[in-house]
Amino acid sequence: MKLQKNEFWVGTFHGRHDGTQATVTATRDDARLEPYVWTCTCGASQSFPTQYGLDSSAWRHTHPTRFDQLRQWATRRFRTRTTR
């Protein structure tokens, strides 16, 4: 991921979700309405007005709790069944 001219790197989180490797990059862009944002290699992203919650949200995205893993498993299982 190449940063834009007005973006600043805040942190990178490596982990897994949905059974695949994931990397989340957190950045700060003062030109945005909500300057703090994280973007995942899976395509998901989330923005925040302050830095509070940015790290915990990005960490949880790459390191899901057992409940999150169960929910992801059920979603994959249900999606597979409906396509048959």
XYZ file of all heavy atoms in Angstrom:
700
model
N 0.849 -1.173 0.000
C 0.000 0.000 0.000
C 0.893 1.233 0.000
O 1.725 1.415 0.873
C -0.883 -0.026 1.243
C -1.739 1.181 1.373
S -2.750 1.031 2.865
C -3.223 2.701 3.013
N 0.711 2.068 -0.995
C 1.491 3.300 -1.092
C 0.717 4.437 -0.452
O -0.453 4.645 -0.756
C 1.773 3.607 -2.560
C 2.675 4.779 -2.754
C 3.097 4.869 -4.195
C 3.772 6.176 -4.461
N 5.140 6.195 -4.148
N 1.358 5.154 0.450
C 0.699 6.254 1.140
C 0.626 7.474 0.242
O 1.526 7.731 -0.560
C 1.462 6.614 2.416
C 1.507 5.555 3.505
C 2.351 6.045 4.667
C 0.126 5.207 3.974
N -0.455 8.218 0.363
C -0.606 9.472 -0.367
C 0.316 10.518 0.266
O 0.864 10.320 1.338
C -2.063 9.945 -0.312
C -3.058 8.961 -0.896
C -2.835 8.738 -2.374
O -2.464 9.647 -3.106
N -3.045 7.510 -2.815
N 0.447 11.655 -0.381
C 1.360 12.690 0.091
C 0.971 13.227 1.473
O 1.826 13.527 2.290
C 1.381 13.830 -0.913
C 2.403 14.881 -0.625
C 2.441 15.913 -1.713
C 3.543 16.922 -1.458
N 3.620 17.915 -2.510
N -0.323 13.326 1.757
C -0.766 13.900 3.026
C -1.106 12.849 4.078
O -1.661 13.166 5.106
C -1.971 14.816 2.799
C -3.091 14.110 2.083
O -2.886 13.076 1.465
N -4.278 14.673 2.143
N -0.777 11.574 3.849
C -1.042 10.514 4.812
C 0.211 10.194 5.626
O 1.318 10.273 5.109
C -1.495 9.232 4.109
C -2.890 9.287 3.573
C -3.297 7.964 2.957
O -2.439 7.250 2.437
O -4.481 7.672 3.005
N 0.006 9.822 6.880
C 1.097 9.427 7.757
C 0.822 8.032 8.295
O -0.287 7.734 8.730
C 1.248 10.411 8.929
C 1.563 11.804 8.478
C 0.556 12.749 8.409
C 2.844 12.153 8.117
C 0.834 14.034 7.999
C 3.138 13.437 7.698
C 2.123 14.387 7.639
N 1.825 7.181 8.288
C 1.707 5.814 8.769
C 1.575 5.832 10.284
O 2.326 6.498 10.984
C 2.935 5.023 8.330
C 3.006 3.656 8.877
C 2.310 2.566 8.451
C 3.808 3.206 9.952
N 2.639 1.474 9.190
C 3.566 1.837 10.122
C 4.712 3.822 10.795
C 4.185 1.085 11.099
C 5.327 3.074 11.767
C 5.066 1.715 11.903
N 0.596 5.088 10.805
C 0.373 5.005 12.245
C 0.793 3.648 12.781
O 1.404 3.540 13.821
C -1.109 5.290 12.597
C -1.355 5.111 14.081
C -1.496 6.688 12.167
N 0.469 2.572 12.064
C 0.827 1.240 12.521
C 0.403 0.172 11.540
O -0.409 0.410 10.651
N 0.962 -1.019 11.710
C 0.619 -2.163 10.880
C 0.334 -3.348 11.789
O 1.066 -3.586 12.740
C 1.777 -2.509 9.913
O 2.085 -1.354 9.143
C 1.398 -3.639 8.988
N -0.716 -4.081 11.483
C -1.120 -5.241 12.263
C -1.168 -6.446 11.332
O -1.780 -6.381 10.269
C -2.497 -5.013 12.890
C -2.551 -3.806 13.778
C -2.868 -2.564 13.263
C -2.265 -3.910 15.120
C -2.908 -1.449 14.075
C -2.303 -2.805 15.946
C -2.617 -1.567 15.417
N -0.519 -7.529 11.731
C -0.494 -8.756 10.937
C -1.256 -9.830 11.704
O -1.119 -9.958 12.913
C 0.943 -9.237 10.701
C 1.773 -8.230 9.987
N 1.747 -8.084 8.625
C 2.646 -7.312 10.444
C 2.582 -7.123 8.276
N 3.139 -6.636 9.376
N -2.055 -10.591 10.990
C -2.820 -11.653 11.632
C -3.579 -12.464 10.608
O -3.232 -12.490 9.431
N -4.646 -13.115 11.062
C -5.477 -13.949 10.184
C -6.946 -13.674 10.467
O -7.313 -13.384 11.591
C -5.215 -15.422 10.444
C -3.795 -15.862 10.262
C -3.638 -17.341 10.549
N -4.280 -18.177 9.550
C -3.721 -18.507 8.379
N -2.540 -18.058 8.083
N -4.357 -19.277 7.532
N -7.741 -13.784 9.437
C -9.184 -13.820 9.607
C -9.790 -14.458 8.373
O -9.206 -14.429 7.298
C -9.788 -12.437 9.881
C -9.636 -11.452 8.772
N -10.477 -11.411 7.695
C -8.736 -10.483 8.580
C -10.103 -10.448 6.892
N -9.042 -9.878 7.398
N -10.928 -15.083 8.556
C -11.592 -15.838 7.487
C -10.671 -16.901 6.897
O -10.768 -17.236 5.719
C -12.104 -14.919 6.384
C -13.249 -14.039 6.841
O -13.961 -14.462 7.775
O -13.435 -12.956 6.279
N -9.726 -17.394 7.681
C -8.842 -18.454 7.234
C -7.699 -18.012 6.341
O -7.002 -18.836 5.770
N -7.472 -16.721 6.182
C -6.391 -16.229 5.329
C -5.540 -15.211 6.078
O -5.977 -14.619 7.063
C -6.945 -15.552 4.057
O -7.776 -14.455 4.453
C -7.751 -16.520 3.222
N -4.324 -15.007 5.588
C -3.444 -13.986 6.157
C -4.051 -12.611 5.903
O -4.627 -12.369 4.845
C -2.067 -14.036 5.507
C -1.173 -15.152 6.004
C -0.789 -14.947 7.441
O -1.140 -15.754 8.268
N -0.066 -13.913 7.763
N -3.886 -11.708 6.844
C -4.409 -10.351 6.708
C -3.398 -9.365 7.275
O -2.737 -9.642 8.272
C -5.729 -10.213 7.434
N -3.293 -8.229 6.611
C -2.439 -7.152 7.078
C -3.268 -5.871 7.097
O -3.867 -5.512 6.092
C -1.226 -6.951 6.155
O -0.497 -8.176 6.103
C -0.327 -5.850 6.658
N -3.305 -5.223 8.238
C -4.046 -3.972 8.383
C -3.039 -2.844 8.544
O -2.128 -2.922 9.369
C -4.984 -4.024 9.608
C -5.590 -2.669 9.880
C -6.074 -5.050 9.389
N -3.212 -1.803 7.746
C -2.356 -0.630 7.826
C -3.188 0.539 8.334
O -4.211 0.874 7.741
C -1.767 -0.279 6.444
O -1.088 -1.418 5.939
C -0.820 0.895 6.536
N -2.763 1.137 9.429
C -3.459 2.283 10.013
C -2.723 3.554 9.603
O -1.501 3.630 9.693
C -3.498 2.159 11.532
N -3.484 4.546 9.144
C -2.897 5.808 8.689
C -3.659 6.992 9.261
O -4.789 6.860 9.716
C -2.898 5.919 7.149
O -4.236 5.811 6.686
C -2.032 4.865 6.519
N -3.021 8.144 9.173
C -3.656 9.397 9.569
C -3.560 10.351 8.384
O -2.496 10.521 7.788
C -2.945 10.006 10.767
C -3.632 11.288 11.253
C -2.807 11.938 12.293
N -1.545 12.335 11.652
C -0.766 13.303 12.065
N -1.065 13.982 13.129
N 0.354 13.587 11.456
N -4.693 10.958 8.012
C -4.758 11.886 6.892
C -5.516 13.115 7.365
O -6.735 13.078 7.542
C -5.467 11.221 5.711
C -5.537 12.113 4.491
O -5.074 13.269 4.553
O -6.065 11.652 3.470
N -4.815 14.218 7.586
C -5.445 15.421 8.131
C -6.405 16.081 7.148
O -7.192 16.937 7.540
C -4.375 16.422 8.557
C -3.594 15.926 9.759
O -4.159 15.137 10.540
O -2.424 16.312 9.913
N -6.381 15.708 5.884
C -7.280 16.291 4.897
C -8.670 15.656 4.946
O -9.606 16.185 4.356
C -6.690 16.139 3.501
N -8.826 14.536 5.634
C -10.113 13.832 5.723
C -10.947 14.358 6.880
O -10.409 14.895 7.844
C -9.887 12.332 5.924
C -9.253 11.645 4.765
C -8.907 10.211 5.111
N -10.011 9.498 5.723
C -10.753 8.589 5.108
N -10.474 8.260 3.868
N -11.728 7.981 5.735
N -12.262 14.155 6.779
C -13.165 14.540 7.857
C -12.888 13.694 9.104
O -12.861 14.208 10.215
C -14.617 14.369 7.413
C -15.682 14.886 8.357
C -15.492 16.381 8.598
C -17.060 14.631 7.771
N -12.709 12.388 8.915
C -12.285 11.484 9.990
C -10.855 11.061 9.655
O -10.645 10.186 8.820
C -13.217 10.286 10.094
C -14.601 10.657 10.578
C -15.483 9.448 10.791
O -15.337 8.458 10.054
O -16.311 9.515 11.707
N -9.863 11.674 10.289
C -8.469 11.520 9.836
C -7.822 10.161 10.088
O -6.859 9.816 9.416
C -7.719 12.603 10.609
C -8.558 12.873 11.805
C -9.968 12.617 11.392
N -8.321 9.377 11.022
C -7.697 8.090 11.327
C -8.464 6.976 10.631
O -9.680 6.868 10.769
C -7.655 7.843 12.833
C -6.758 8.819 13.541
C -7.257 10.003 14.059
C -5.396 8.566 13.659
C -6.424 10.913 14.685
C -4.560 9.462 14.289
C -5.084 10.631 14.798
O -4.253 11.518 15.415
N -7.750 6.131 9.896
C -8.389 5.055 9.144
C -7.460 3.852 9.097
O -6.240 3.997 9.088
C -8.757 5.524 7.708
C -7.528 5.877 6.910
C -9.599 4.502 6.979
N -8.053 2.640 9.130
C -7.263 1.439 8.875
C -7.859 0.749 7.660
O -9.062 0.800 7.419
C -7.150 0.514 10.074
C -8.398 -0.069 10.652
C -8.991 0.304 11.818
C -9.194 -1.160 10.155
N -10.098 -0.463 12.053
C -10.250 -1.373 11.045
C -9.112 -1.965 9.031
C -11.214 -2.358 10.846
C -10.072 -2.949 8.835
C -11.105 -3.135 9.730
N -6.972 0.133 6.878
C -7.366 -0.571 5.670
C -6.739 -1.951 5.692
O -5.549 -2.089 5.970
C -6.887 0.194 4.424
O -7.353 1.530 4.514
C -7.419 -0.431 3.159
N -7.539 -2.971 5.394
C -7.070 -4.354 5.405
C -6.816 -4.833 3.979
O -7.401 -4.312 3.028
C -8.114 -5.239 6.086
S -7.580 -6.958 6.265
N -5.979 -5.847 3.859
C -5.711 -6.428 2.548
C -6.926 -7.162 2.003
O -7.001 -7.427 0.802
C -4.518 -7.397 2.605
O -4.752 -8.368 3.636
C -3.222 -6.651 2.878
N -7.909 -7.465 2.850
C -9.134 -8.130 2.391
C -10.105 -7.131 1.771
O -11.113 -7.512 1.199
C -9.815 -8.873 3.535
S -10.608 -7.802 4.751
N -9.826 -5.837 1.897
C -10.682 -4.814 1.328
C -11.500 -4.049 2.348
O -12.116 -3.043 2.024
N -11.521 -4.506 3.575
C -12.287 -3.821 4.628
C -11.517 -2.598 5.115
O -10.283 -2.551 5.070
C -12.526 -4.773 5.795
N -12.259 -1.598 5.567
C -11.631 -0.418 6.151
C -12.600 0.220 7.128
O -13.807 -0.029 7.078
C -11.227 0.594 5.080
O -12.377 1.104 4.444
N -12.059 1.028 8.014
C -12.877 1.718 9.001
C -12.175 3.017 9.358
O -10.950 3.053 9.483
C -13.068 0.849 10.241
C -14.102 1.377 11.183
C -14.449 0.384 12.285
O -13.883 -0.692 12.368
N -15.371 0.757 13.131
N -12.941 4.103 9.533
C -12.345 5.390 9.865
C -12.845 5.863 11.223
O -13.925 5.488 11.675
C -12.662 6.427 8.789
O -14.051 6.601 8.670
N -12.043 6.723 11.860
C -12.320 7.208 13.209
C -12.017 8.703 13.286
O -11.060 9.173 12.662
C -11.433 6.496 14.236
C -11.646 5.012 14.280
C -10.926 4.178 13.440
C -12.557 4.457 15.140
C -11.111 2.815 13.468
C -12.751 3.090 15.177
C -12.034 2.270 14.336
N -12.782 9.462 14.087
C -12.501 10.881 14.243
C -11.276 11.155 15.125
O -10.621 12.181 14.981
C -13.766 11.440 14.883
C -14.424 10.272 15.529
C -14.024 9.070 14.736
N -10.946 10.237 16.050
C -9.767 10.376 16.907
C -8.991 9.066 16.879
O -9.455 8.066 16.337
C -10.147 10.686 18.372
O -10.857 9.578 18.904
C -11.008 11.940 18.466
N -7.814 9.050 17.486
C -7.009 7.835 17.488
C -7.542 6.778 18.439
O -7.148 5.625 18.378
C -5.540 8.134 17.810
C -5.253 8.436 19.251
C -5.369 9.903 19.608
O -5.947 10.690 18.873
N -4.801 10.276 20.736
N -8.483 7.137 19.323
C -9.028 6.197 20.288
C -9.924 5.186 19.573
O -10.833 5.552 18.858
C -9.809 6.914 21.384
C -8.956 7.915 22.112
C -9.162 9.266 21.968
C -7.899 7.492 22.910
C -8.361 10.187 22.614
C -7.090 8.397 23.560
C -7.317 9.745 23.410
O -6.509 10.641 24.033
N -9.639 3.930 19.761
C -10.396 2.871 19.115
C -9.766 2.360 17.834
O -10.109 1.300 17.344
N -8.843 3.112 17.278
C -8.190 2.716 16.025
C -7.384 1.438 16.216
O -7.586 0.454 15.491
C -7.279 3.840 15.523
C -6.452 3.548 14.280
C -7.356 3.515 13.055
C -5.374 4.589 14.104
N -6.509 1.419 17.196
C -5.651 0.256 17.422
C -6.445 -0.975 17.836
O -6.222 -2.069 17.322
C -4.593 0.559 18.479
C -3.570 1.573 17.997
O -3.380 1.682 16.774
O -2.970 2.244 18.841
N -7.402 -0.808 18.738
C -8.163 -1.969 19.195
C -9.033 -2.546 18.075
O -9.174 -3.759 17.954
C -9.017 -1.612 20.412
O -9.944 -0.599 20.087
N -9.590 -1.701 17.250
C -10.418 -2.172 16.145
C -9.576 -2.897 15.098
O -9.958 -3.953 14.595
C -11.143 -0.995 15.502
O -11.859 -1.410 14.379
N -8.422 -2.339 14.759
C -7.534 -2.973 13.783
C -6.997 -4.295 14.327
O -6.920 -5.290 13.604
C -6.385 -2.033 13.433
N -6.641 -4.314 15.604
C -6.140 -5.547 16.227
C -7.217 -6.623 16.209
O -6.957 -7.769 15.872
C -5.698 -5.273 17.658
C -5.254 -6.503 18.375
C -5.995 -7.269 19.221
C -3.985 -7.142 18.276
N -5.258 -8.331 19.667
C -4.013 -8.280 19.103
C -2.813 -6.847 17.583
C -2.931 -9.123 19.247
C -1.732 -7.699 17.727
C -1.801 -8.821 18.543
N -8.445 -6.263 16.554
C -9.525 -7.253 16.589
C -9.857 -7.762 15.183
O -10.259 -8.901 15.021
C -10.758 -6.654 17.232
C -11.834 -7.688 17.428
C -12.934 -7.207 18.300
N -13.973 -8.238 18.368
C -15.126 -8.070 18.910
N -15.421 -6.929 19.459
N -16.004 -9.040 18.920
N -9.671 -6.926 14.171
C -9.927 -7.368 12.802
C -8.933 -8.454 12.386
O -9.300 -9.410 11.717
C -9.848 -6.188 11.827
C -10.207 -6.544 10.431
N -11.502 -6.772 10.041
C -9.440 -6.722 9.332
C -11.518 -7.074 8.757
N -10.277 -7.055 8.304
N -7.679 -8.324 12.802
C -6.663 -9.313 12.432
C -6.525 -10.435 13.452
O -5.949 -11.467 13.148
C -5.282 -8.652 12.247
O -4.945 -7.933 13.432
C -5.283 -7.727 11.057
N -7.034 -10.251 14.657
C -6.991 -11.267 15.706
C -8.389 -11.421 16.294
O -8.660 -10.964 17.412
C -6.004 -10.877 16.810
C -4.607 -10.759 16.328
N -4.110 -9.605 15.762
C -3.602 -11.658 16.296
C -2.857 -9.805 15.421
N -2.524 -11.038 15.734
N -9.309 -12.044 15.542
C -10.689 -12.149 16.014
C -10.806 -13.007 17.271
O -10.035 -13.941 17.470
C -11.428 -12.785 14.846
C -10.378 -13.407 13.991
C -9.108 -12.683 14.255
N -11.783 -12.659 18.101
C -12.052 -13.443 19.310
C -12.685 -14.770 18.900
O -13.042 -14.978 17.751
C -13.010 -12.686 20.239
O -14.252 -12.500 19.561
C -12.444 -11.335 20.656
N -12.835 -15.662 19.848
C -13.468 -16.957 19.558
C -14.885 -16.767 19.024
O -15.321 -17.466 18.119
C -13.504 -17.836 20.808
C -12.161 -18.317 21.225
C -11.695 -19.408 20.300
N -10.421 -19.911 20.777
C -9.564 -20.522 20.016
N -9.830 -20.719 18.752
N -8.429 -20.946 20.497
N -15.611 -15.813 19.592
C -16.960 -15.539 19.117
C -16.934 -15.052 17.668
O -17.759 -15.468 16.848
C -17.646 -14.503 20.011
C -19.030 -14.154 19.547
C -20.077 -15.050 19.711
C -19.277 -12.946 18.929
C -21.351 -14.744 19.267
C -20.539 -12.635 18.487
C -21.583 -13.526 18.655
N -15.989 -14.152 17.348
C -15.857 -13.673 15.964
C -15.514 -14.820 15.020
O -16.033 -14.895 13.903
C -14.774 -12.598 15.861
C -15.154 -11.323 16.581
O -16.368 -11.056 16.721
O -14.244 -10.598 17.002
N -14.636 -15.719 15.456
C -14.268 -16.859 14.623
C -15.465 -17.766 14.382
O -15.670 -18.245 13.264
C -13.134 -17.651 15.283
C -11.824 -16.927 15.305
C -10.775 -17.657 16.108
O -11.042 -18.676 16.758
N -9.551 -17.154 16.085
N -16.277 -17.977 15.403
C -17.471 -18.796 15.261
C -18.462 -18.139 14.294
O -19.043 -18.797 13.433
C -18.128 -19.020 16.623
C -19.404 -19.865 16.632
C -19.108 -21.268 16.101
C -19.978 -19.918 18.020
N -18.635 -16.825 14.414
C -19.529 -16.099 13.527
C -19.039 -16.161 12.083
O -19.817 -16.385 11.154
C -19.645 -14.646 13.987
C -20.647 -13.828 13.196
C -20.789 -12.404 13.726
N -19.544 -11.768 14.096
C -18.701 -11.196 13.227
N -18.980 -11.190 11.962
N -17.609 -10.627 13.659
N -17.725 -16.001 11.866
C -17.154 -16.096 10.515
C -17.328 -17.496 9.950
O -17.666 -17.661 8.775
C -15.675 -15.720 10.544
C -15.417 -14.269 10.820
C -13.956 -13.982 11.093
O -13.120 -14.890 11.087
N -13.637 -12.728 11.339
N -17.119 -18.518 10.788
C -17.294 -19.897 10.338
C -18.742 -20.146 9.917
O -19.007 -20.739 8.874
C -16.892 -20.860 11.455
C -17.189 -22.282 11.128
C -16.432 -23.128 10.376
C -18.349 -23.020 11.520
N -17.038 -24.355 10.285
C -18.229 -24.301 10.975
C -19.462 -22.713 12.274
C -19.193 -25.280 11.170
C -20.433 -23.689 12.464
C -20.279 -24.957 11.915
N -19.693 -19.682 10.737
C -21.107 -19.875 10.422
C -21.495 -19.134 9.139
O -22.257 -19.658 8.321
C -21.972 -19.393 11.589
N -20.945 -17.958 8.943
C -21.228 -17.198 7.726
C -20.708 -17.929 6.496
O -21.412 -18.052 5.489
C -20.598 -15.798 7.813
O -21.121 -15.131 8.955
C -20.889 -14.988 6.570
N -19.480 -18.436 6.578
C -18.913 -19.188 5.444
C -19.725 -20.450 5.182
O -20.018 -20.782 4.038
C -17.458 -19.553 5.724
C -16.495 -18.418 5.543
C -15.046 -18.913 5.518
N -14.710 -19.810 6.614
C -14.234 -19.430 7.798
N -14.056 -18.160 8.046
N -13.940 -20.320 8.718
N -20.095 -21.138 6.234
C -20.853 -22.388 6.103
C -22.221 -22.139 5.481
O -22.646 -22.854 4.590
C -20.993 -23.011 7.490
C -21.677 -24.298 7.546
C -20.717 -25.388 7.229
N -21.374 -26.651 7.498
C -20.801 -27.792 7.362
N -19.549 -27.837 6.997
N -21.447 -28.885 7.590
N -22.912 -21.108 5.954
C -24.235 -20.789 5.443
C -24.158 -20.318 3.983
O -24.975 -20.684 3.159
C -24.895 -19.712 6.306
C -26.273 -19.350 5.861
C -27.321 -20.250 6.013
C -26.529 -18.129 5.274
C -28.599 -19.901 5.590
C -27.793 -17.791 4.856
C -28.834 -18.692 5.004
N -23.142 -19.514 3.675
C -22.976 -19.008 2.313
C -22.731 -20.160 1.359
O -23.238 -20.201 0.257
C -21.814 -18.029 2.268
C -21.621 -17.367 0.943
C -20.500 -16.362 0.975
N -19.861 -16.344 2.272
C -18.741 -15.745 2.563
N -18.109 -15.102 1.642
N -18.231 -15.775 3.768
N -21.952 -21.163 1.763
C -21.660 -22.313 0.937
C -22.921 -23.135 0.691
O -23.164 -23.589 -0.422
C -20.589 -23.202 1.603
O -19.447 -22.410 1.866
C -20.213 -24.357 0.720
N -23.739 -23.288 1.703
C -24.973 -24.068 1.560
C -25.987 -23.398 0.660
O -26.709 -24.052 -0.066
C -25.605 -24.331 2.911
C -24.863 -25.373 3.680
C -25.688 -25.848 4.823
N -25.033 -27.005 5.409
C -25.390 -27.560 6.515
N -26.409 -27.069 7.201
N -24.767 -28.603 6.982
N -26.075 -22.080 0.676
C -27.075 -21.404 -0.129
C -26.698 -21.362 -1.604
O -27.562 -21.196 -2.448
C -27.304 -19.957 0.356
O -26.072 -19.255 0.297
C -27.894 -19.936 1.739
N -25.430 -21.537 -1.933
C -25.013 -21.490 -3.328
C -25.153 -22.819 -4.038
O -25.011 -22.898 -5.234
C -23.548 -21.006 -3.457
O -22.711 -21.886 -2.714
C -23.413 -19.575 -2.939
N -25.415 -23.875 -3.326
C -25.539 -25.203 -3.947
C -26.843 -25.370 -4.645
O -27.846 -24.925 -4.444
C -25.380 -26.300 -2.901
C -23.964 -26.407 -2.453
C -23.845 -27.539 -1.495
N -22.494 -27.547 -0.966
C -22.097 -28.319 -0.006
N -22.923 -29.159 0.554
N -20.868 -28.269 0.416
